[in-house]
Amino acid sequence: MSYITTNNITSINAELTDYCNAACPMCARYFIDGALNKKRVNSNHTTLAFLKDKIGNNIVSQLKRFTSCGNLGDGAMNPECLEIYQWLRAVNPNLNLHLHSNGGARTPEFWREMAKIKVSVTFAIDGLEDTNHLYRRNVRWSKLMANIKAFTDAGGNAGWAMLIFKHNESQIEQCRSLSRTLGFSSFGIQQSSRWADFDYIGNWKEMEKIPVDGYFLEKSSQLSAPSIGSGGNSSKANITKNDFATKKINCKSYDIKNNHVEIYIAANGDVSPCCWLGNLNQHESKNIIKDYNKVNLRHSTLQEILNGDYFQELEKGIRGAENSYRLHTCYFTCGVE
């Protein structure tokens, strides 16, 4: 198994920034107690010059897909977001370009230009005018609607992704109907997986509601949390299954059969196979990283990173090599074969 190399990459998820206009309470920008993690956010933009230097035309030319769906930021907040996508389109006219955004930033003109270069956008909208702001705090409905209308009127391909809570579960069909009126091509709902998850110090937490600004966000009774992996595991807390240490991980970032090989580039320059591995110096990856400069594009080349110890150790764990260190995140997110 060669795993991910500069020659077989077909997809990049680049966190274009760790800035965000919204203040979503269950976002990774916040600690589980609701406090903003100031040391991790509002520090980095992925610049056009950086991408040209560190990724370059040759790799962009071989890509099938480029997206920006970060852990800590909204790509539209990057001052060069449009210019980055224009460069990608110029280098690779057939590239599938995508952005995930709350839609509350920038101007209608920005969104019209994104539509013109055929960037598809998934808008995270969690309700209607009276409810969206309860989770997508600081997103103004009038600005959001103006931006969406500009995008879809210009021919943009828009998808609506709705997180379901108790306060908006009765609005699902109204939102679906509005999505059709506004020209969205798709509409999807899901419950956040963060109602049950490990906190930053490794403790397992299961919640039904959390306090926010004088009100509570409450878990929807209509949906269950997303299933974990493909091995039939329903809870991240269950880590005692026999197949954890032995079976090969079905790594969705290395799906050679379907010509999908992906890397994730965090706004601080860290490189990993996917965004699910989170902060490399805080989450599980810290146990197999010896030198953080060797996993960061600001200090190493992409080829050096992919050939380095971190990706080699990940590959051993994914295929279940004897005495290898396997990440629970890999197991629970992608499951085993």
Side-chain angles (χ1 to χ4, degrees):
M1 181 178 178
S2 60
Y3 204 44
I4 301 170
T5 71
T6 55
N7 293 323
N8 65 16
I9 294 172
T10 63
S11 179
I12 290 177
N13 178 6
E15 183 177 48
L16 295 183
T17 182
D18 57 21
Y19 287 76
C20 188
N21 58 302
C24 306
M26 298 174 78
C27 174
R29 296 170 62 85
Y30 292 85
F31 291 110
I32 200 164
D33 64 1
L36 182 68
N37 190 346
K38 295 180 180 179
K39 292 183 179 181
R40 293 187 62 200
V41 301
N42 303 340
S43 301
N44 300 288
H45 293 304
T46 303
T47 67
L48 175 58
F50 178 82
L51 289 172
K52 285 183 174 180
D53 179 42
K54 296 298 184 177
I55 302 302
N57 288 17
N58 289 341
I59 289 179
V60 172
S61 297
Q62 76 189 33
L63 295 179
K64 304 294 182 184
R65 176 179 170 85
F66 181 99
T67 189
S68 181
C69 182
N71 285 326
L72 302 173
D74 188 308
M77 290 291 289
N78 185 318
E80 295 183 302
C81 180
L82 176 60
E83 290 77 9
I84 288 170
Y85 279 98
Q86 288 173 330
W87 167 66
L88 293 164
R89 175 61 69 217
V91 173
N92 188 341
N94 297 317
L95 185 56
N96 179 351
L97 296 176
H98 181 260
L99 172 69
H100 198 290
S101 175
N102 63 62
R106 310 298 289 257
T107 65
E109 180 58 27
F110 167 86
W111 292 103
R112 276 192 288 269
E113 292 302 313
M114 291 287 278
K116 288 179 182 178
I117 58 173
K118 301 186 184 306
V119 179
S120 64
V121 178
T122 297
F123 290 96
I125 311 171
D126 304 327
L128 300 171
E129 185 172 8
D130 63 332
T131 56
N132 183 59
H133 65 283
L134 296 178
Y135 185 71
R136 303 286 164 182
R137 294 182 297 175
N138 300 336
V139 174
R140 291 193 295 112
W141 186 259
S142 59
K143 185 176 179 69
L144 170 63
M145 290 297 106
N147 288 342
I148 288 172
K149 193 171 187 303
F151 182 75
T152 56
D153 284 354
N157 180 12
W160 182 318
M162 182 178 180
L163 285 178
I164 305 302
F165 303 90
K166 187 174 181 179
H167 66 258
N168 66 8
E169 61 187 11
S170 64
Q171 297 180 329
I172 294 173
E173 292 310 313
Q174 289 174 277
C175 291
R176 193 191 307 274
S177 176
L178 179 59
S179 75
R180 298 190 187 104
T181 300
L182 292 172
F184 281 77
S185 61
S186 64
F187 176 86
I189 62 173
Q190 69 178 61
Q191 179 137 250
S192 172
S193 63
R194 292 195 172 105
W195 288 113
D197 207 347
F198 295 105
D199 66 16
Y200 283 100
I201 58 175
N203 295 319
W204 179 254
K205 300 287 186 180
E206 294 189 25
M207 302 172 289
E208 294 295 323
K209 65 180 182 179
I210 60 172
V212 182
D213 297 340
Y215 59 92
F216 285 93
L217 287 178
E218 297 184 64
K219 185 177 179 181
S220 170
S221 60
Q222 295 188 20
L223 297 175
S224 59
S227 60
I228 307 302
S230 59
N233 306 302
S234 59
S235 172
K236 292 181 184 177
N238 176 18
I239 60 173
T240 60
K241 294 184 69 68
N242 293 332
D243 57 12
F244 172 73
T246 57
K247 290 189 177 180
K248 182 180 177 182
I249 296 290
N250 184 28
C251 179
K252 295 177 182 177
S253 288
Y254 185 76
D255 186 2
I256 288 292
K257 294 179 181 178
N258 293 303
N259 194 27
H260 178 83
V261 179
E262 182 171 311
I263 58 169
Y264 174 71
I265 304 172
N268 69 354
D270 285 347
V271 179
S272 57
C274 69
C275 64
W276 289 98
L277 296 183
N279 186 343
L280 299 189
N281 64 11
Q282 189 169 18
H283 296 128
E284 273 190 300
S285 291
K286 67 183 180 182
N287 296 319
I288 55 174
I289 294 176
K290 301 172 184 176
D291 183 345
Y292 282 96
N293 285 342
K294 293 184 179 180
V295 298
N296 191 287
L297 273 177
R298 301 182 190 279
H299 302 281
S300 302
T301 67
L302 182 58
Q303 184 165 342
E304 287 171 340
I305 294 171
L306 298 180
N307 290 340
D309 292 340
Y310 176 48
F311 273 77
Q312 287 185 26
E313 290 303 311
L314 283 174
E315 187 268 334
K316 290 178 184 177
I318 286 168
R319 63 181 170 84
E322 187 175 357
N323 297 323
S324 63
Y325 187 96
R326 170 164 287 186
L327 301 187
H328 290 107
T329 304
C330 294
Y331 176 74
F332 291 118
T333 302
C334 292
V336 293
E337 293 185 352

